Structures are given as C-alpha cells and as structure tokens.
Amino acid sequence: MKKKLGALLMMVVVLMVLAACGGGEADESSGSADDGEVYTLQAGHSLPDDHPYHLGFLEMAEKVEERTDGRVKIEVFPFSEIGAERELTEGLTLGTVDLAVSSTAPVTNFVPELAVLDVPFIFNDRDSAVDVLNGEIGDELFQAMDDQGIIGLSWGENGYRHVTNALHPVEKPEDLSGLKIRVQENEIHLAAFEELGAQPTPMAWTEALTALQQGVVDAQENPAIVADQYKLYESNQEYMTLTGHVYSVAVYMMSKQTYEELPEDLRDIVLEEGQKIGAMERDMIVEMEQESLKTLEEQGVEIIDEVDPAPFQEIVSSVYDMVEHQELLNNILEAQK
Ligand code: PAF
C-alpha cells in the first residue's frame, strides 16, 4: 500500500498540533478522523482490462474513491502485471499485494479447503453453485481464507471450463488420450486429466500462452471468454469442446494485513464495496459468454457442443476420494439435493 502525504498545509497543521501536544506517534489504524493520508491500494489479476475481473475492480475503485472523498485509491493491474494468480495469492498472505481476483484453483495451494470447489462436475449448475457460495459453505470457506491472512470479499465467476486443442475434435474421453494439456496449478485438475488419459502439465497462465504457441502443449481448458479475449485460435487452438467439466469460481480477495493497516472508517468502506462486486462481475460473465462463443466460431474455431458429459463424469469421479476435506465436499453435494 502506497501512502502519500496530503496538502502541505495539512502537514503544517499536524506538526503544529503534535508540537502543542508534546509529540506522539500517529497510529494509522486506529483513527476515524481524516488524517490527510491518501492510501493507494494495488489490485491485480491475470486477465485483460475488458474482462469482468477488471471491470469489477474498476467499479469498486470508483465507489471507494467516491465514498472516502479520495482518501483511498485503487490501482488495478491486469495481465498478471503484478503477478500471476498463485503469486498474487501468496502476496495477499504476506501483505505485499493489497487486492486480487483469481480463479479458486491456484488459491487452493494456500487455502486447502477451497479444493472442494474445483472438483469436476461438483455443482449441478450455476445457480446451485451461487447458492452454495452465498450460504454457510461459502462463509466457512471465507473463514478458512481468513485463517491464512486473506479476506474473502465476494465470490465471482471465471466461468465453465471447456477443453480447446490443436489436433482434433474431442467428443469422448478417449479423444483426450495422450493429449498434452496445460492445466492450472491444482492437484485435483491434474489428477482429473490424468484419469482421462491426457498428459497434463500444470503451469501459470502467463506460461501457458507460450507453451501453446510453441506446441509444448496441444491443449488447454478455460472458459470461452478467456479463449476469446486471448485469441487462442492464434495459438493453434482449432477445436473447443464444451465439456463444462469445472464451474470455475473466482474470488475477490484482500490482504488481511492491508485491511488492518487502514484506518477503521476507510477499511469498512473498502470491505463493503468489495462485497458488492462479485455478483456484478458474475452477471457480466453470463452476458458475455455466448458472445465469446460466437466470436470463436467466426474466427474458425470448431465448437463441439453436443457432448455427453456422463462418460467424462464417470471417469473423473475417482478424484472425489482425493479431496482432503470430505465433510465439506459432502456438504456441497447435500446442499444441492
Ligand atoms: O487458466 C487459468 O489459469 C485461469 O482460468 C485464468 C485464465 C488465469 C483466469 O482466472
């Protein structure tokens, strides 16, 4: 967090008051009065500046600046400029990153409880996922994040993950056999693609593009909006199969350290505005998804949309046993009955 001194006049006034009181250290986190400081928070994510991740943060920045009379500014960094998702998450735990939005898969490396969200086909549909996240289970997951120094502001959405590849149409699990596929840095994703007979390699999104372009991997899996915005058809991705194997949850997060360093009146405003953006971001994703599929098709990507998910589901069901937090997993399944 960067802080700038306010007007020179304010400095003089502060010095005069301090002198009158016989000195003393300013306590940044306790006061609610305007101390003249401007707090600049840095928010990072991995997607372009027209992706809903970014638009959500811009909305938050505008509201926060307005409600704090310019005392809190939020600078938003797209394209992994201040770190890829795993690095951003680590930065939140250390207090070197103030705010981030990330798909949940890499966050799991710091908050193991979140692994339940990235289990393939765990959610019946989008609405069920949203109900689970906005209910007691979502709160429990936010508590687990809090224990690691991360405040969960709100749940958003990355979108349904679909497989794209450079070689052939994938219509059934056997078509994935031997396919070199980039997966996220997440043990469950890795195991699921191994079960499906592919050759998965976990890597950050920043490395994935080069790997696709150079043919180090033939395939990747991501929502249509990501494939569209990153023009994956220019990285040899000619086929997209609407597997929808993971409903990829996104989460807006704040470093607990940053929160604690802000004066009380300001931190509440940041929290409140952060709590609003997830739902807004999700609505934008839903609106953009079909448009992205259309663009991909227009750009020559063959969309395989008549896929029977059942055989994929059956094969990956074995990874359910890998999940450490079985009770949480069962609660998610139970909540959707
Ligand atoms: O595949 C990923 O790493 C993520 O889905 C992405 C593209 C960074 C968006 O969260």
Side-chain angles (χ1 to χ4, degrees), residues 146-262:
D146 195 88
D147 294 342
Q148 304 305 326
I150 302 173
I151 297 176
L153 294 172
S154 48
W155 300 106
E157 176 178 316
N158 183 19
Y160 277 103
R161 302 186 82 84
H162 304 302
V163 174
T164 69
N165 86 96
L167 304 183
H168 52 241
V170 168
E171 283 160 356
K172 48 192 183 317
E174 299 82 80
D175 298 328
L176 288 169
S177 178
L179 202 69
K180 289 183 275 167
I181 183 166
R182 173 270 172 175
V183 291
Q184 289 193 276
E185 297 160 290
N186 179 285
E187 280 180 19
I188 303 281
H189 287 201
L190 179 66
F193 278 95
E194 276 170 354
E195 289 295 315
L196 287 162
Q199 286 182 39
T201 307
M203 62 182 91
W205 183 241
T206 38
E207 297 162 44
L209 283 176
T210 324
L212 289 170
Q213 279 155 12
Q214 295 179 348
V216 175
V217 291
D218 312 309
Q220 68 84 48
E221 40 84 62
N222 248 307
I225 299 173
V226 175
D228 168 23
Q229 292 196 326
Y230 273 92
K231 298 186 173 30
L232 292 190
Y233 40 85
E234 291 177 2
S235 299
N236 309 314
Q237 300 302 284
E238 289 180 32
Y239 307 95
M240 176 175 241
T241 305
L242 303 190
T243 44
H245 51 281
V246 168
Y247 170 77
S248 182
V249 177
V251 59
Y252 280 90
M253 302 172 280
M254 179 174 190
S255 166
K256 212 166 154 182
Q257 191 171 315
T258 302
Y259 173 81
E260 281 163 2
E261 282 170 7
L262 283 173

Side-chain angles (χ1 to χ4, degrees), residues 86-141:
R86 193 181 168 136
E87 294 155 337
L88 287 171
T89 310
E90 186 170 27
L92 292 170
T93 67
L94 301 171
T96 52
V97 171
D98 301 312
L99 294 156
V101 54
S102 170
S103 57
T104 47
V107 183
T108 299
N109 293 294
F110 303 89
V111 188
E113 287 82 352
L114 288 193
V116 291
L117 300 179
D118 277 271
V119 171
F121 305 107
I122 184 81
F123 294 114
N124 294 348
D125 49 38
R126 179 178 266 127
D127 288 345
S128 311
V130 174
D131 286 347
V132 166
L133 293 165
N134 289 336
E136 271 175 35
I137 297 172
D139 291 347
E140 194 177 332
L141 294 173

Side-chain angles (χ1 to χ4, degrees), residues 268-284:
D268 289 347
I269 294 173
V270 175
L271 206 65
E272 279 165 26
E273 293 306 325
Q275 284 163 347
K276 293 178 192 162
I277 46 175
M280 194 194 93
E281 186 267 355
R282 187 182 320 111
D283 288 347
M284 285 191 272

